Amino acid sequence: LVLWSHLLTLRHQVVLKREQLEPPPGERKAAAGDFDIGEQQIHRRGLLMWMAAGAGALLASIFVSWFRSLGTAPDPVLFSTVWKPGQRLMTQDGTAVSVNDLQPGNTVIVFPEDSIGSEHAQTVLLRVRPDLLQLPDNRRDWAPMGNLIHLCMAILCRHQKHHY
């Protein structure tokens, strides 16, 4: 197609003379004045210095990010949780929490039944009015009667389904 298009195009240049356009009187002076004001506001050397500083900061952040990635891997405890499906929720004093213990708007700190008092296991149980929840169909049973577990108080925020 490229070769065919070369066969179809003309082989000589056509140059047409253009008429010289002149700006309206006074406009050239106004444009020159605006240009001079802009020259006083931004100096080329200052602009280049700011651009170089920005490029240097970008390179420094890339280097720091790369250098930090050479460090040790995160502790494996970050990727494990003491929460397991089917565990009962317990308060700090060892009392089991039932679905009806909280009123809408209330919260309580809870632990899984085998890790009461563990700083890696504590989380917040909160209750909201069920009509305020907008859960997907496959997660309708994740908040019985508006009770929600907020697992972000542990070391790593994990969203898991818990039955209680």
Short mmCIF file of all heavy atoms in Angstrom, two decimals, residues 63-93:
data_model
loop_
_atom_site.label_atom_id
_atom_site.label_comp_id
_atom_site.label_asym_id
_atom_site.label_seq_id
_atom_site.Cartn_x
_atom_site.Cartn_y
_atom_site.Cartn_z
N PHE A 63 15.20 6.45 43.95
CA PHE A 63 16.33 5.77 44.58
C PHE A 63 15.98 5.29 45.98
O PHE A 63 16.29 4.16 46.36
CB PHE A 63 17.54 6.71 44.63
CG PHE A 63 18.73 6.10 45.29
CD1 PHE A 63 19.48 5.13 44.66
CD2 PHE A 63 19.08 6.49 46.58
CE1 PHE A 63 20.57 4.57 45.28
CE2 PHE A 63 20.17 5.92 47.22
CZ PHE A 63 20.92 4.96 46.56
N VAL A 64 15.32 6.13 46.76
CA VAL A 64 14.95 5.75 48.13
C VAL A 64 13.97 4.57 48.09
O VAL A 64 14.11 3.61 48.86
CB VAL A 64 14.34 6.95 48.89
CG1 VAL A 64 13.67 6.52 50.16
CG2 VAL A 64 15.43 7.98 49.17
N SER A 65 12.99 4.61 47.20
CA SER A 65 12.04 3.52 47.09
C SER A 65 12.75 2.23 46.69
O SER A 65 12.49 1.16 47.25
CB SER A 65 10.97 3.88 46.06
OG SER A 65 10.13 2.79 45.84
N TRP A 66 13.65 2.30 45.73
CA TRP A 66 14.40 1.12 45.31
C TRP A 66 15.27 0.61 46.45
O TRP A 66 15.34 -0.58 46.70
CB TRP A 66 15.25 1.47 44.09
CG TRP A 66 16.18 0.38 43.68
CD1 TRP A 66 15.86 -0.76 43.01
CD2 TRP A 66 17.57 0.30 43.97
NE1 TRP A 66 16.97 -1.53 42.84
CE2 TRP A 66 18.05 -0.90 43.42
CE3 TRP A 66 18.47 1.13 44.61
CZ2 TRP A 66 19.37 -1.29 43.51
CZ3 TRP A 66 19.79 0.75 44.70
CH2 TRP A 66 20.23 -0.45 44.16
N PHE A 67 15.94 1.51 47.14
CA PHE A 67 16.83 1.11 48.23
C PHE A 67 16.05 0.44 49.37
O PHE A 67 16.50 -0.54 49.94
CB PHE A 67 17.58 2.34 48.74
CG PHE A 67 18.67 2.02 49.72
CD1 PHE A 67 19.82 1.37 49.32
CD2 PHE A 67 18.52 2.36 51.05
CE1 PHE A 67 20.82 1.07 50.21
CE2 PHE A 67 19.52 2.06 51.96
CZ PHE A 67 20.67 1.42 51.54
N ARG A 68 14.86 0.97 49.68
CA ARG A 68 14.05 0.38 50.74
C ARG A 68 13.53 -1.01 50.38
O ARG A 68 13.32 -1.85 51.23
CB ARG A 68 12.87 1.29 51.08
CG ARG A 68 13.33 2.55 51.78
CD ARG A 68 12.20 3.31 52.37
NE ARG A 68 11.63 2.52 53.46
CZ ARG A 68 10.42 2.70 53.92
NH1 ARG A 68 9.66 3.62 53.41
NH2 ARG A 68 9.96 1.96 54.90
N SER A 69 13.34 -1.26 49.09
CA SER A 69 12.84 -2.58 48.68
C SER A 69 13.90 -3.66 48.84
O SER A 69 13.59 -4.84 48.77
CB SER A 69 12.34 -2.54 47.25
OG SER A 69 13.42 -2.39 46.35
N LEU A 70 15.15 -3.29 49.03
CA LEU A 70 16.22 -4.26 49.22
C LEU A 70 16.26 -4.79 50.65
O LEU A 70 17.01 -5.71 50.94
CB LEU A 70 17.58 -3.64 48.87
CG LEU A 70 17.75 -3.22 47.41
CD1 LEU A 70 19.09 -2.54 47.22
CD2 LEU A 70 17.62 -4.41 46.49
N GLY A 71 15.49 -4.21 51.54
CA GLY A 71 15.49 -4.61 52.95
C GLY A 71 14.86 -5.98 53.16
O GLY A 71 14.46 -6.68 52.23
N THR A 72 14.75 -6.34 54.40
CA THR A 72 14.18 -7.63 54.75
C THR A 72 12.68 -7.64 54.47
O THR A 72 12.02 -6.61 54.49
CB THR A 72 14.42 -7.97 56.23
OG1 THR A 72 13.82 -6.94 57.02
CG2 THR A 72 15.90 -8.04 56.54
N ALA A 73 12.17 -8.82 54.25
CA ALA A 73 10.74 -8.98 53.99
C ALA A 73 9.96 -8.73 55.28
O ALA A 73 10.51 -8.87 56.38
CB ALA A 73 10.46 -10.39 53.48
N PRO A 74 8.69 -8.37 55.20
CA PRO A 74 7.89 -8.16 56.40
C PRO A 74 7.80 -9.43 57.24
O PRO A 74 7.91 -10.54 56.72
CB PRO A 74 6.50 -7.78 55.86
CG PRO A 74 6.70 -7.40 54.45
CD PRO A 74 7.93 -8.10 53.98
N ASP A 75 7.60 -9.23 58.52
CA ASP A 75 7.48 -10.35 59.44
C ASP A 75 6.28 -11.21 59.05
O ASP A 75 5.21 -10.68 58.74
CB ASP A 75 7.29 -9.79 60.86
CG ASP A 75 7.43 -10.84 61.93
OD1 ASP A 75 7.75 -11.99 61.60
OD2 ASP A 75 7.21 -10.51 63.10
N PRO A 76 6.42 -12.53 59.04
CA PRO A 76 5.29 -13.39 58.65
C PRO A 76 4.05 -13.22 59.52
O PRO A 76 2.95 -13.54 59.10
CB PRO A 76 5.84 -14.81 58.80
CG PRO A 76 7.31 -14.68 58.83
CD PRO A 76 7.62 -13.30 59.30
N VAL A 77 4.21 -12.66 60.73
CA VAL A 77 3.04 -12.46 61.59
C VAL A 77 2.05 -11.49 60.95
O VAL A 77 0.87 -11.52 61.25
CB VAL A 77 3.47 -12.01 63.00
CG1 VAL A 77 3.92 -10.56 63.00
CG2 VAL A 77 2.33 -12.20 63.99
N LEU A 78 2.54 -10.64 60.05
CA LEU A 78 1.65 -9.71 59.37
C LEU A 78 0.65 -10.42 58.46
O LEU A 78 -0.39 -9.88 58.12
CB LEU A 78 2.45 -8.70 58.55
CG LEU A 78 3.25 -7.69 59.33
CD1 LEU A 78 4.08 -6.84 58.38
CD2 LEU A 78 2.35 -6.81 60.16
N PHE A 79 1.00 -11.61 58.02
CA PHE A 79 0.17 -12.31 57.06
C PHE A 79 -0.66 -13.43 57.68
O PHE A 79 -1.24 -14.24 56.98
CB PHE A 79 1.03 -12.86 55.93
CG PHE A 79 1.79 -11.77 55.23
CD1 PHE A 79 3.15 -11.61 55.44
CD2 PHE A 79 1.15 -10.90 54.39
CE1 PHE A 79 3.84 -10.59 54.82
CE2 PHE A 79 1.84 -9.87 53.77
CZ PHE A 79 3.19 -9.72 53.98
N SER A 80 -0.68 -13.50 58.99
CA SER A 80 -1.49 -14.51 59.65
C SER A 80 -2.43 -13.82 60.64
O SER A 80 -2.20 -12.69 61.04
CB SER A 80 -0.60 -15.51 60.38
OG SER A 80 0.11 -14.85 61.42
N THR A 81 -3.47 -14.49 61.00
CA THR A 81 -4.43 -13.94 61.93
C THR A 81 -4.85 -15.01 62.93
O THR A 81 -4.82 -16.20 62.62
CB THR A 81 -5.67 -13.38 61.19
OG1 THR A 81 -6.58 -12.85 62.14
CG2 THR A 81 -6.35 -14.44 60.36
N VAL A 82 -5.20 -14.58 64.13
CA VAL A 82 -5.67 -15.54 65.13
C VAL A 82 -7.16 -15.79 64.98
O VAL A 82 -7.70 -16.69 65.62
CB VAL A 82 -5.34 -15.04 66.56
CG1 VAL A 82 -3.85 -14.95 66.76
CG2 VAL A 82 -6.00 -13.71 66.84
N TRP A 83 -7.83 -15.01 64.15
CA TRP A 83 -9.26 -15.17 63.94
C TRP A 83 -9.52 -16.35 63.02
O TRP A 83 -8.91 -16.48 61.97
CB TRP A 83 -9.85 -13.91 63.33
CG TRP A 83 -9.92 -12.79 64.29
CD1 TRP A 83 -8.98 -11.84 64.51
CD2 TRP A 83 -10.99 -12.50 65.17
NE1 TRP A 83 -9.39 -10.97 65.47
CE2 TRP A 83 -10.63 -11.35 65.91
CE3 TRP A 83 -12.22 -13.09 65.43
CZ2 TRP A 83 -11.45 -10.79 66.86
CZ3 TRP A 83 -13.04 -12.52 66.39
CH2 TRP A 83 -12.65 -11.38 67.09
N LYS A 84 -10.43 -17.21 63.42
CA LYS A 84 -10.82 -18.37 62.61
C LYS A 84 -12.35 -18.44 62.56
O LYS A 84 -13.01 -18.07 63.52
CB LYS A 84 -10.25 -19.64 63.23
CG LYS A 84 -8.73 -19.69 63.17
CD LYS A 84 -8.17 -20.84 63.95
CE LYS A 84 -6.67 -20.81 64.02
NZ LYS A 84 -6.06 -19.59 64.47
N PRO A 85 -12.89 -18.90 61.46
CA PRO A 85 -14.36 -19.01 61.37
C PRO A 85 -14.92 -19.91 62.46
O PRO A 85 -14.33 -20.91 62.84
CB PRO A 85 -14.58 -19.64 59.99
CG PRO A 85 -13.34 -19.32 59.22
CD PRO A 85 -12.23 -19.29 60.23
N GLY A 86 -16.04 -19.52 62.99
CA GLY A 86 -16.73 -20.32 64.00
C GLY A 86 -16.38 -19.98 65.44
O GLY A 86 -16.99 -20.51 66.36
N GLN A 87 -15.40 -19.10 65.66
CA GLN A 87 -15.04 -18.74 67.04
C GLN A 87 -16.08 -17.79 67.62
O GLN A 87 -16.65 -16.97 66.92
CB GLN A 87 -13.67 -18.06 67.07
CG GLN A 87 -12.53 -18.98 66.79
CD GLN A 87 -11.21 -18.23 66.80
OE1 GLN A 87 -11.12 -17.14 66.28
NE2 GLN A 87 -10.21 -18.84 67.42
N ARG A 88 -16.30 -17.91 68.94
CA ARG A 88 -17.20 -16.99 69.61
C ARG A 88 -16.45 -15.71 69.93
O ARG A 88 -15.24 -15.71 70.15
CB ARG A 88 -17.72 -17.61 70.92
CG ARG A 88 -18.64 -18.78 70.67
CD ARG A 88 -19.27 -19.30 71.92
NE ARG A 88 -18.29 -19.46 72.99
CZ ARG A 88 -18.59 -19.57 74.27
NH1 ARG A 88 -19.86 -19.55 74.64
NH2 ARG A 88 -17.66 -19.72 75.18
N LEU A 89 -17.18 -14.62 69.99
CA LEU A 89 -16.61 -13.33 70.37
C LEU A 89 -16.68 -13.20 71.88
O LEU A 89 -17.71 -13.48 72.49
CB LEU A 89 -17.38 -12.18 69.72
CG LEU A 89 -17.40 -12.14 68.20
CD1 LEU A 89 -18.20 -10.95 67.72
CD2 LEU A 89 -15.99 -12.06 67.66
N MET A 90 -15.58 -12.74 72.47
CA MET A 90 -15.50 -12.59 73.93
C MET A 90 -15.05 -11.17 74.24
O MET A 90 -14.26 -10.57 73.51
CB MET A 90 -14.49 -13.58 74.51
CG MET A 90 -14.70 -15.02 74.08
SD MET A 90 -16.23 -15.73 74.65
CE MET A 90 -15.78 -16.25 76.26
N THR A 91 -15.52 -10.63 75.37
CA THR A 91 -15.05 -9.34 75.84
C THR A 91 -13.76 -9.54 76.62
O THR A 91 -13.33 -10.67 76.86
CB THR A 91 -16.10 -8.66 76.73
OG1 THR A 91 -16.34 -9.50 77.86
CG2 THR A 91 -17.38 -8.40 75.97
N GLN A 92 -13.13 -8.46 77.04
CA GLN A 92 -11.87 -8.52 77.79
C GLN A 92 -12.02 -9.35 79.07
O GLN A 92 -11.09 -10.04 79.46
CB GLN A 92 -11.42 -7.09 78.14
CG GLN A 92 -10.16 -7.00 78.98
CD GLN A 92 -8.91 -7.38 78.22
OE1 GLN A 92 -8.81 -7.15 77.03
NE2 GLN A 92 -7.95 -7.97 78.91
N ASP A 93 -13.19 -9.29 79.71
CA ASP A 93 -13.38 -10.03 80.96
C ASP A 93 -13.84 -11.48 80.74
O ASP A 93 -14.15 -12.19 81.69
CB ASP A 93 -14.36 -9.30 81.88
CG ASP A 93 -15.74 -9.14 81.26
OD1 ASP A 93 -15.98 -9.65 80.15
OD2 ASP A 93 -16.58 -8.49 81.90
#
